[in-house]
Amino acid sequence: MTDITGSCLCGAIEFQINGPLRPVIACHCTQCRKTSGHHVAATSVARGDISIKGDPVWYVSSDTAKRGFCGTCGSNLFWDGGGANISIFAGTLDGDPGLKTAGHIYCDDKGGYYELTDDLPKAPGYDPDLTTRVAG
């Protein structure tokens, strides 16, 4: 999977991915729900495989992570936990990158107004097996 592009709503921030992406993981933690208004569906890529044009605003949301968004239109774009990969909100990708949702994390924190009815793996909290896989 190479040459995948994405952007914020207004186009002030664009990015290009030149490497494999992880399958999409739905995160239901309180922070993801608060920042997105629902849950977050994100993929991830190795840091060296993404180039970003524009200047995301970074909000330090915890002792271990920060979130990148567009300062103009407010689009949520990235989650950065400081590891080898950076997470990308799947809805910001252009076209169909061929990704599928592979599971759910932080299900114990999910909102009470929706149910998880699919047959995908559902972790009560963090699950390194789900969040570190790559496609391919």
Side-chain angles (χ1 to χ4, degrees), residues 25-28 101-107 116 118 120-125 130:
I25 301 299
C27 182
H28 303 272
T101 302
H104 302 267
I105 59 174
Y106 290 97
C107 294
L116 302 177
D118 59 43
L120 297 174
K122 294 169 184 68
L130 284 174

Side-chain angles (χ1 to χ4, degrees), residues 3-69:
D3 297 326
I4 295 170
T5 60
S7 68
C8 65
L9 180 62
C10 72
I13 299 172
E14 299 175 326
F15 56 89
Q16 182 169 348
I17 299 162
N18 294 302
L21 290 167
R22 178 196 72 200
V24 173
I25 301 299
C27 182
H28 303 272
C29 79
T30 301
Q31 285 191 7
C32 282
R33 289 189 301 109
K34 296 273 185 186
T35 193
S36 71
H38 190 37
H39 63 80
V40 164
T43 182
S44 72
V45 66
R47 285 184 189 283
D49 291 340
I50 185 171
S51 60
I52 300 170
K53 179 182 168 190
D55 295 312
V57 175
W58 292 95
Y59 171 69
V60 178
S61 56
S62 72
D63 292 341
T64 59
K66 60 185 180 179
R67 297 167 181 274
F69 62 95

Side-chain angles (χ1 to χ4, degrees), residues 22 25 126-133:
R22 178 196 72 200
I25 301 299
Y126 175 70
D127 185 329
D129 292 333
L130 284 174
T131 58
T132 58
R133 295 189 306 155

